[in-house]
Structure formats: structure tokens, C-alpha cells
């Protein structure tokens, strides 16, 4: 008969909350942090390999039409071609080393006719939050070494725009070859290529990510611990509630024939007592 309390609305609601929280910890929050940790490890591995590996020809690392992925991102490639300065787009609302910046995106037509998007680096903001003046890309055929990057995605799918606020210069909200392709009516291959220091056409070279492991693994373990603690707490109070007198009763055993109060009854009486004093 003591199991009837498990069917009370308050206890059912508590049970639902506890188990929903534990399920979220085990199936959503912890796996999400594990996946972020795996992504960070992959990124660190690719970065460390790029520090010593020689740059590969673009077509060798990324066959025509293929997009960068976690196995190719950050690797160095060599590209030979001509910048298309008249198709340049500037990415707005960027942050570099904690300060506002713009990133300059310039398409390049390679010697085999493929068009790629080159991120020439960043420029700082002027007093009116516009881009400071920067050097145009070099004319003629150049050879650059760049890091492979995957396209960013704008959730709102906004196109590049130019108006009075941009001084007539095309600006975008993300670094995305698709946005630049639509703006310039070009057939640009997926992904973009980030210039390192000293390359032809580079402005302020973008800093590379730190190769530390980050907090993601510890966060994943914490979510597992939180879920386990919630279940153990629920089990503890369930067992305590099954005992005579409930979980919050202390002191001497009740007299023979007298029913000891349950946790829910004690809490209800406390609430009534507090309301009576107000």
C-alpha cells in the first residue's frame, strides 16, 4: 500500500522532471560535448600536421567539385592564378583578437580556369565603423599558399549587399563562397582559402586557432555526472519515502497505531504554517 504515493500527481511530476533531465544529459548534452571535443581534436591534429607538411596542389588535396571537410580543413595548398579584384566582397561584423574587423574576400581564377575564393585577411574599423583603406590584390598571375577552410553558413541566408552605409562596397555577413558567387555571378568552387603571412595579396593574416584541448571533455563528463546524480537522488528519496514516517521524519518512533506523516504531508503543513504567520 505504501507504493500508492508513487502515483500521486506531485511525485509523478517530480519523476518526469528527473528522468527527462537525466535523459537529456545522457543523450543530448553529454554527446554534444563529446562531439565538440572530437572536432577540436581533429582541428588540432590538422593544424599540427600543417605546420610541417608541405603545401599540396589544390587539385591533389581537393579534386574538382569537392568541398572541404574535417579531413582536409586547415591543410596547406598552393594555388596559381589571377585575383578578380572587381568581384571582391568584404565580410562584416568580424572579431579578430577581441577587436572588430572586416575580412576581405577576393575570388581568384586559377590557371586551369577554376575560380576559388581567397580570404586575404582582415582590416580594422575606422571611426565610422567602416573598413579602413586597404591595398588591392596584386595584378597578374601569382602563386599563393593558403589554408583550406569550410564555408560558413548564414542561418538567414542573406546575400551580399551594397548601399550608402557600405560606400558602395559589397559586404556579406559570412565568409561563404556561395554568397560571393551569387554576388559576382561566378562559378566558385566550395570552400575558401585563407592566406598566411607573407603571401601575395595578404592583408592582416588571420590568427590560427589555439591548439589546446578546450573544456569540452570535462563538460561532457559533468553532464553524465549530473544525470547520474539526479537519478540517484530520486532513488534515494523514493526509498526513504517507503520507510515508515517518510524521509523527513526524525526523533522517536510513533506510538502504536499512529500513522507517521509522509514527506508530502510535512511539507504541506510547513507551507500552511508559514502562510499563517504572514
Amino acid at each position: 500500500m505504501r507504493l500508492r504515493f508513487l502515483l500521486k500527481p506531485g511525485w509523478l511530476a517530480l519523476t518526469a522532471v528527473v528522468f527527462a533531465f537525466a535523459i537529456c544529459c545522457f543523450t543530448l548534452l553529454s554527446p554534444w560535448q563529446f562531439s565538440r571535443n572530437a572536432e577540436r581534436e581533429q582541428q588540432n591534429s590538422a593544424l599540427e600536421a600543417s605546420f610541417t607538411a608541405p603545401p599540396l596542389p589544390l587539385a591533389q588535396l581537393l579534386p574538382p567539385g569537392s568541398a572541404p571537410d574535417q579531413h582536409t580543413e586547415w591543410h596547406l595548398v598552393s594555388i596559381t592564378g589571377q585575383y578578380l579584384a572587381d568581384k571582391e566582397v568584404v565580410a562584416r561584423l568580424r572579431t579578430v583578437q577581441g577587436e572588430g574587423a572586416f575580412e576581405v574576400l577576393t575570388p581568384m581564377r586559377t590557371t586551369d580556369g577554376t575560380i576559388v575564393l581567397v580570404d586575404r585577411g582582415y582590416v580594422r574599423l575606422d571611426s565610422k565603423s567602416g573598413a579602413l583603406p586597404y591595398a588591392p590584390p596584386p595584378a597578374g598571375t601569382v602563386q599563393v599558399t593558403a589554408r583550406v577552410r569550410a564555408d560558413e553558413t548564414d542561418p538567414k541566408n542573406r546575400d551580399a549587399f551594397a548601399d550608402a552605409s557600405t560606400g558602395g562596397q559589397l559586404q556579406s555577413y559570412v565568409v561563404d563562397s556561395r554568397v560571393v558567387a551569387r554576388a559576382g555571378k561566378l562559378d566558385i568552387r566550395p570552400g575558401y582559402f585563407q592566406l598566411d603571412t607573407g603571401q601575395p595579396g595578404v592583408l592582416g593574416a588571420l590568427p590560427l586557432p589555439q591548439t589546446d584541448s578546450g573544456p569540452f571533455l570535462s563538460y561532457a563528463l559533468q553532464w553524465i555526472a549530473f544525470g547520474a546524480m539526479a537519478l540517484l537522488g530520486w532513488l534515494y528519496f523514493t526509498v526513504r519515502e517507503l520507510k515508515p514516517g517518510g524521509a523527513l521524519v526524525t526523533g522517536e518512533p510513533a506510538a502504536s497505531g499512529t500513522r507517521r506523516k509522509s514527506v508530502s504531508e510535512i511539507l504541506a503543513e510547513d507551507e500552511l504554517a508559514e502562510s499563517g504567520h504572514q
Side-chain angles (χ1 to χ4, degrees), residues 76-92:
L76 290 171
V77 293
S78 59
I79 307 172
T80 302
Q82 293 183 339
Y83 284 113
L84 305 178
D86 59 329
K87 304 295 185 180
E88 195 166 76
V89 175
V90 176
R92 59 191 281 128

Side-chain angles (χ1 to χ4, degrees), residues 46-58:
L47 276 171
E48 291 170 358
S50 72
F51 294 150
T52 56
L56 297 174
L58 174 59

Side-chain angles (χ1 to χ4, degrees), residues 170-233:
L170 278 170
Q171 293 189 4
S172 69
Y173 290 94
V174 288
V175 182
D176 186 349
S177 62
R178 295 161 294 189
V179 172
V180 180
R182 290 195 297 268
K185 296 180 173 55
L186 299 171
D187 182 16
I188 302 178
R189 67 165 300 153
Y192 66 99
F193 302 89
Q194 179 178 309
L195 292 185
D196 272 347
T197 303
Q199 296 302 307
V202 71
L203 299 168
L206 291 165
L208 298 178
Q210 297 295 320
T211 55
D212 59 86
S213 58
F216 308 118
L217 180 59
S218 63
Y219 288 167
L221 297 177
Q222 285 176 13
W223 283 119
I224 291 176
F226 291 155
M229 290 167 60
L231 292 176
L232 290 174

Side-chain angles (χ1 to χ4, degrees), residues 21-85:
F21 174 73
I23 290 172
C24 286
C25 287
F26 297 143
T27 64
L28 296 176
L29 299 172
S30 180
W32 173 52
Q33 293 295 339
F34 276 125
S35 67
R36 296 188 68 188
N37 182 68
E39 291 173 0
R40 176 61 66 86
E41 290 180 347
Q42 176 64 38
Q43 174 183 288
N44 291 345
S45 177
L47 276 171
E48 291 170 358
S50 72
F51 294 150
T52 56
L56 297 174
L58 174 59
Q60 180 177 338
L61 183 66
L62 289 171
S66 62
D69 57 21
Q70 61 179 351
H71 302 293
T72 55
E73 192 168 20
W74 298 108
H75 284 276
L76 290 171
V77 293
S78 59
I79 307 172
T80 302
Q82 293 183 339
Y83 284 113
L84 305 178

